[in-house]
Amino acid sequence: MQSITGIGFGVIAGPVLLMSIGGAEAIQVSIVLSLLIAVILAPSTIPRVNFSLLRPLLIGVLLGTPIGATAYATLSLDALKIVAALVVAFMTLIASGLLTRHPIFEEDTRKRRVAIGMVCGALNVTLAMPGPPVAAYATAIKSDKQIIRATTLVTFLFAYPVALSLQGVTTGFSSALFSVALPLAIPTVFGTITGMLVAPLFSQKVFNWLTVGFLIASVMVLVVG
């Protein structure tokens, strides 16, 4: 699903990893596997990136990552989930079009892109879920599905190494990180390639609703998980 929409892996794999591993190890494994997906998709997605959208997002990621690292080191997992659920829920409303009567939510400015990048960077470090803010914003401003997908995935390509490095500095790397991630790499690669093959079959409308569906799923996972 991450190959198709640009988000989804953290929503699907994150809760399973948290339940089976728990704590920092689960988040670090999710980051490593998500980075693997981004690397595989990079050659096909980079040519479609909207760099005027990407550059402010990356600036925001750099600004938001230290905030997320601080929260990751000081707050409980439950507190992090509550904050993230509130943020993603608001962005789901924006992406769904329910706030279209207020055009302010569809405006696209550089400052807003930086702000979205900051949220992306913070959620990336705390819960390995950077996708919802970028996908919600890009959907709200009515970007083309290929641009949304490509820009989101390339943002990950930059954000994940930064997040993993900061986690290593603040809490250290889990000793079980690669022993858990390596066996999961093969099915992750298989799923990524499958998604690449079926992605062209989805129309813009279906793509938008899939994105909104994953945003709603993100909120539910954060609240219930």
Side-chain angles (χ1 to χ4, degrees):
M1 295 313 298
Q2 186 134 341
S3 295
I4 296 170
T5 64
I7 61 173
F9 183 84
V11 179
I12 297 170
V16 177
L17 292 170
L18 280 171
M19 287 186 291
S20 59
I21 305 171
E25 295 89 345
I27 295 171
Q28 290 179 4
V29 169
S30 184
I31 289 176
V32 168
L33 294 176
S34 296
L35 178 59
L36 174 62
I37 295 172
V39 169
I40 293 171
L41 295 174
S44 63
T45 55
I46 289 177
R48 297 185 174 92
V49 170
N50 180 343
F51 284 97
S52 63
L53 172 61
L54 180 65
R55 281 189 290 268
L57 284 174
L58 297 185
I59 293 171
V61 167
L62 284 175
L63 296 173
T65 297
I67 299 172
T70 302
Y72 178 80
T74 57
L75 298 179
S76 68
L77 184 60
D78 288 338
L80 291 174
K81 286 182 178 180
I82 291 171
V83 173
L86 292 173
V87 171
V88 177
F90 179 67
M91 292 186 175
T92 303
L93 289 175
I94 295 175
S96 67
L98 294 176
L99 300 178
T100 50
R101 69 183 65 180
H102 305 290
I104 187 174
F105 291 109
E106 294 183 344
E107 291 180 5
D108 180 26
T109 66
R110 183 177 176 83
K111 288 183 179 179
R112 290 191 176 192
R113 293 175 181 183
V114 172
I116 291 299
M118 290 179 66
V119 178
C120 170
L123 289 181
N124 184 35
V125 182
T126 54
L127 293 168
M129 291 178 64
V134 182
Y137 186 75
T139 303
I141 62 174
K142 297 180 171 60
S143 287
D144 176 77
K145 68 172 185 175
Q146 295 292 348
I147 293 175
I148 296 174
R149 176 176 171 270
T151 305
T152 303
L153 288 166
V154 174
T155 301
F156 295 170
L157 195 62
F158 173 82
Y160 283 130
V162 174
L164 194 61
S165 299
L166 267 181
Q167 282 197 3
V169 171
T170 55
T171 61
F173 294 111
S174 166
S175 58
L177 173 59
F178 289 103
S179 64
V180 175
L182 284 175
L184 296 176
I186 294 176
T188 299
V189 170
F190 178 77
T192 302
I193 294 172
T194 302
M196 291 172 66
L197 296 174
V198 302
L201 303 177
F202 292 86
S203 67
Q204 181 73 43
K205 184 176 181 179
V206 172
F207 175 88
N208 289 343
W209 281 112
L210 276 174
T211 302
V212 172
F214 271 119
L215 290 169
I216 294 171
S218 299
V219 177
M220 294 176 64
V221 163
L222 289 166
V223 172
V224 179

